[in-house]
Amino acid sequence: MNYLFIDDDKLQLMKLKKALDPFSQIHEIKIMDNPLTAMELVRTRTFSPDVIVVDFNMPQMDGLDFIKELKFSGHSYIPIVISTTMNCVEMAKECYGNGAAGYLIKPTDYKEFTKKLKILIQYWEANLFPETSNC
């Protein structure tokens, strides 16, 4: 599977790279720091992610705007998970209402962070595509 992670925070990027390294042997994982560049990568089909995980708070384009832009530009089939430190029910509802497939609250503890990423990847491994095709 192909995963695209987008986060502009340098510390968060370092944590992501380290935490996702064990999964890079069986999945193609791209980690980017700019949502606009990531958007262009998807639009031009330079990289075709099966799942996108995008940080909510970014200066160039926040996660909600990223969802809206991508979902209404012909890529509505790609599940997008919002990643944030904010534990806010109203914000989660707004994200889901605009097409988010998930709302991941980033723990500050590295061990908990890696545990959540593992669960996220296992979920999409088990649920993204049917194992057989009866279409």
Side-chain angles (χ1 to χ4, degrees):
M1 290 182 59
N2 297 333
Y3 291 91
L4 175 58
F5 288 81
I6 309 160
D7 199 308
D8 68 320
D9 182 271
K10 300 295 182 211
L11 180 60
Q12 199 64 32
L13 289 169
M14 289 183 349
K15 284 172 55 177
L16 271 170
K17 286 177 185 171
K18 183 178 177 186
L20 292 170
D21 187 56
F23 300 102
S24 64
Q25 277 95 57
I26 54 174
H27 300 291
E28 184 162 351
I29 298 173
K30 290 225 182 279
I31 300 171
M32 302 185 75
D33 64 355
N34 185 314
L36 299 173
T37 306
M39 180 77 67
E40 193 59 28
L41 188 77
V42 174
R43 281 186 177 154
T44 60
R45 293 185 173 27
T46 305
F47 181 69
S48 297
D50 296 307
V51 178
I52 298 172
V53 181
V54 62
D55 184 39
F56 186 83
N57 287 317
M58 292 184 288
Q60 301 96 344
M61 172 186 275
D62 69 27
L64 192 56
D65 288 336
F66 184 89
I67 289 173
K68 291 175 186 176
E69 181 85 20
L70 197 64
K71 291 288 182 183
F72 300 109
S73 69
H75 296 88
S76 60
Y77 58 91
I78 302 173
I80 302 173
V81 176
I82 289 290
S83 176
T84 183
T85 56
M86 293 184 280
N87 188 354
C88 177
V89 173
E90 291 307 313
M91 192 168 81
K93 286 179 183 178
E94 185 177 8
C95 291
Y96 285 125
N98 281 283
Y103 188 86
L104 177 101
I105 300 168
K106 296 184 268 188
T108 54
D109 178 69
Y110 180 74
K111 191 173 183 177
E112 284 300 310
F113 179 70
T114 58
K115 183 178 173 182
K116 278 198 174 188
L117 287 176
K118 181 179 179 181
I119 292 168
L120 177 124
I121 288 173
Q122 288 173 333
Y123 173 82
W124 289 110
E125 285 174 338
N127 293 292
L128 189 58
F129 297 115
E131 289 194 30
T132 60
S133 177
N134 294 325
C135 301

